[in-house]
């Protein structure tokens, strides 16, 4: 499928092409026989036939409009066969009659394009047109899409599923339209994305959003990270600037993704608390072992060396999942930095005492209230 290519929407199904013109109009607007929407559409298709840009034998033409189709009008007679009203000869006769009776300068080019077809191709063109009137508005379409989404995931997850599917499609369609000859959206591509999203949203998984994965330490959302306690924790053990940048990246990704899960009610009650408890308990045993092995006489150099071992474990190995299917590593790594920011975990053996002053109100250290 391609947007704004040969037509508003172009779908290629095997060797057959479907071209669709989309027209949105105010309520109670009618698609009359001299409607500009009707004739401008006919002009586009007539010129495409004349220029041999479309093969009518392999093409279906759809005019979809929110306008009403008056009884006995061109649009009325060009509805689908299932409507029981389709009469191509009547529709063609009405088009010829409208063209002959009108003196509209606005529609002159459309009339000329229609005339240029000749009788045989004009009849063939009309036979390929289907008009879909009273098309639903955006609110109705969204309700329908939510209904379909509820067939793919549980109803309570349908809105989150649809938002991500729409977001992908808008981004993909924009990319396709922004460059001449851009790659169309394929059914295989859509199926892959659809299946991936469906697998991410459910009892055993949580969605990882593309825009979140794209966040870096330079993203606006991470602008104040330099003053965060978790960054001070890393500086306390002499972690380099580059690795601190990676830590900020993981922190902002985890923070934004977790906030989004919470806002969309994708998390169970108490799930974040239970997850953080598991993370803290994993850290506690390692941290206690480190302090035990260092003893009370360890030098600062020794403490920093062993603290880096604990942090290396978080950076390379700590992969506790919030749900079994959620494998994205920044969730665990970033969550540890969120815990470090609250001083619930740390790397230096004396991190709590060394960094407590950062959390005190100004003046508290020298006794001022």
């Amino acid at each position: 499928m391609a947007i704004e290519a040969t037509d508003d929407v172009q779908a290629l199904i095997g060797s057959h092409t479907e071209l669709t013109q989309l027209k949105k109009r105010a309520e109670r607007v009618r698609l009359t026989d001299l409607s500009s929407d009707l004739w401008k559409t006919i002009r586009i298709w007539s010129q495409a036939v004349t220029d041999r840009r479309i093969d009518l034998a392999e093409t279906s033409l759809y005019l979809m409009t929110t306008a009403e189709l008056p009884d006995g009008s061109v649009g009325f007679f060009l509805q689908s066969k299932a409507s029981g009203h389709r009469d191509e000869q009547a529709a063609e006769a009405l088009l010829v009659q409208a063209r002959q009776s009108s003196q509209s300068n606005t529609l002159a080019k459309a009339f000329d394009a229609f005339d240029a077809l000749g009788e045989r191709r004009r009849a063939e063109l009309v036979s390929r047109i289907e008009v879909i009137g009273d098309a639903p508005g955006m609110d109705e379409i969204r309700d329908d899409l939510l209904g379909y989404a509820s067939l793919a995931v549980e109803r309570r997850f349908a809105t989150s599923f649809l938002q991500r599917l729409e977001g992908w499609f808008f981004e993909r369609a924009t990319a396709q339209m922004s460059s001449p000859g851009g790659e169309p959206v394929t059914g295989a591509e859509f199926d892959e994305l659809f299946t991936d999203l469906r697998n991410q949203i459910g009892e055993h998984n949580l969605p990882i959003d593309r825009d979140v994965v794209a966040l870096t330490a330079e993203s606006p959302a991470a602008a104040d990270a330099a003053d965060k306690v978790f960054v001070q924790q890393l500086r306390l053990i002499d972690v380099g600037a580059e690795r601190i940048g990676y830590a900020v990246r993981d922190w902002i990704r985890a923070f934004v993704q977790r906030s989004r899960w919470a806002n969309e009610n994708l998390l169970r009650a108490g799930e974040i608390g239970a997850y953080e408890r598991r993370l803290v308990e994993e850290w506690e045993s390692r941290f206690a072992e480190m302090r035990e092995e260092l003893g009370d006489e360890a030098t600062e150099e020794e403490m920093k060396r062993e603290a880096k071992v604990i942090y290396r474990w978080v950076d390379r190995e700590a992969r506790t999942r919030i749900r079994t299917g959620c494998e994205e590593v920044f969730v665990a790594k970033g969550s540890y930095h969120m815990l470090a920011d609250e001083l619930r975990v740390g790397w230096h053996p004396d991190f709590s005492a060394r960094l407590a002053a950062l959390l005190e109100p100004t003046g508290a250290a020298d006794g001022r209230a």
Side-chain angles (χ1 to χ4, degrees):
M1 184 175 63
I3 313 296
E4 295 289 355
T6 305
D7 219 321
D8 290 346
V9 180
Q10 176 183 354
L12 182 63
I13 307 168
S15 63
H16 191 81
T17 300
E18 293 182 352
L19 301 179
T20 303
Q21 281 275 318
L22 304 174
K23 306 295 182 183
K24 185 179 186 302
R25 291 294 173 258
E27 292 184 14
R28 292 184 293 279
V29 169
R30 291 151 53 92
L31 188 77
T32 65
D33 294 350
L34 284 171
S35 168
S36 61
D37 281 352
L38 175 63
W39 279 100
K40 287 180 179 178
T41 297
I42 289 176
R43 174 190 172 187
I44 291 170
W45 290 337
S46 296
Q47 289 177 335
V49 171
T50 299
D51 297 341
R52 297 186 177 182
R53 285 183 283 114
I54 61 174
D55 178 4
L56 287 175
E58 294 289 343
T59 306
S60 295
L61 305 170
Y62 297 97
L63 169 57
M64 183 178 293
T65 176
T66 57
E68 300 174 7
L69 305 180
D71 289 353
S73 66
V74 172
F76 179 83
F77 287 126
L78 289 182
Q79 295 179 87
S80 69
K81 291 182 179 179
S83 69
H85 303 305
R86 188 169 182 85
D87 187 333
E88 296 165 7
Q89 291 182 333
E92 182 183 358
L94 288 171
L95 285 171
V96 172
Q97 180 182 332
R99 185 264 174 275
Q100 293 174 344
S101 65
S102 175
Q103 301 298 317
S104 171
N105 291 326
T106 303
L107 300 178
K109 290 183 178 180
F111 294 153
D112 290 344
F114 187 60
D115 291 343
L117 291 175
E119 290 187 13
R120 183 183 62 81
R121 286 197 298 176
R122 185 176 66 199
E124 188 178 3
L125 173 69
V126 171
S127 73
R128 308 306 296 171
I129 297 174
E130 181 177 322
V131 178
I132 303 169
D134 293 310
M138 292 303 296
D139 290 342
E140 294 173 80
I141 290 172
R142 185 162 184 79
D143 287 343
D144 287 344
L145 288 173
L146 279 171
Y148 288 120
S150 297
L151 301 176
V153 296
E154 290 185 47
R155 181 171 294 276
R156 61 195 174 107
F157 300 137
T159 298
S160 295
F161 176 83
L162 183 58
Q163 285 174 344
R164 287 168 173 79
L165 193 63
E166 287 177 329
W168 166 80
F169 183 76
F170 293 152
E171 180 181 330
R172 184 64 180 81
T174 299
Q176 183 261 310
M177 290 189 292
S178 63
S179 59
E183 288 295 320
V185 182
T186 67
E189 182 182 0
F190 178 85
D191 285 347
E192 181 179 350
L193 187 281
F194 186 94
T195 300
D196 185 48
L197 278 179
R198 185 174 57 189
N199 290 338
Q200 285 188 44
I201 298 180
E203 288 298 319
H204 303 293
N205 206 344
L206 286 163
I208 300 297
D209 296 320
R210 294 171 180 233
D211 63 317
V212 173
V213 174
L215 292 172
T216 68
E218 288 72 42
S219 300
D224 300 327
D227 297 325
K228 289 289 184 179
V229 174
F230 81 90
V231 173
Q232 300 301 324
Q233 290 236 42
L234 296 173
R235 288 174 179 162
L236 187 61
I237 61 172
D238 297 335
V239 171
E242 185 176 5
R243 291 177 68 202
I244 288 177
Y246 297 147
V248 170
R249 177 198 64 191
D250 292 333
W251 167 77
I252 192 62
R253 289 178 181 177
F255 182 86
V256 172
Q257 189 67 80
R258 283 172 44 164
S259 298
R260 192 171 295 176
W261 290 338
N263 292 337
E264 295 179 21
N265 296 316
L266 294 175
L267 296 168
R268 307 182 190 103
E271 186 168 16
I272 286 293
Y275 178 57
E276 290 183 341
R277 175 189 57 76
R278 288 157 53 206
L279 294 177
V280 170
E281 289 180 356
E282 268 203 296
W283 164 85
E284 282 176 334
S285 60
R286 289 171 171 81
F287 189 75
E289 181 181 357
M290 175 188 70
R291 295 189 65 173
E292 184 178 295
E293 291 182 354
L294 283 171
D296 297 331
E297 304 300 325
T299 66
E300 181 67 14
E301 182 179 350
E302 290 173 329
M303 287 192 286
K304 286 183 177 180
R305 184 182 64 246
E306 293 305 312
K308 286 181 178 179
V309 173
I310 295 289
Y311 180 62
R312 190 178 302 124
W313 163 75
V314 168
D315 200 34
R316 297 183 183 179
E317 301 175 38
R319 298 295 182 265
T320 300
R321 300 176 186 178
I322 187 169
R323 291 188 187 170
T324 55
C326 188
E327 300 178 349
E328 183 57 60
V329 296
F330 76 69
V331 176
K333 292 167 65 175
S335 293
Y336 266 117
H337 290 303
M338 294 171 71
L339 291 167
D341 203 56
E342 299 172 2
L343 293 181
R344 294 172 61 189
V345 304
W347 325 122
H348 192 285
D350 293 329
F351 76 91
S352 184
R354 300 278 185 101
L355 296 170
L358 292 175
L359 303 180
E360 293 179 357
T362 302
D366 57 9
R368 291 192 300 271

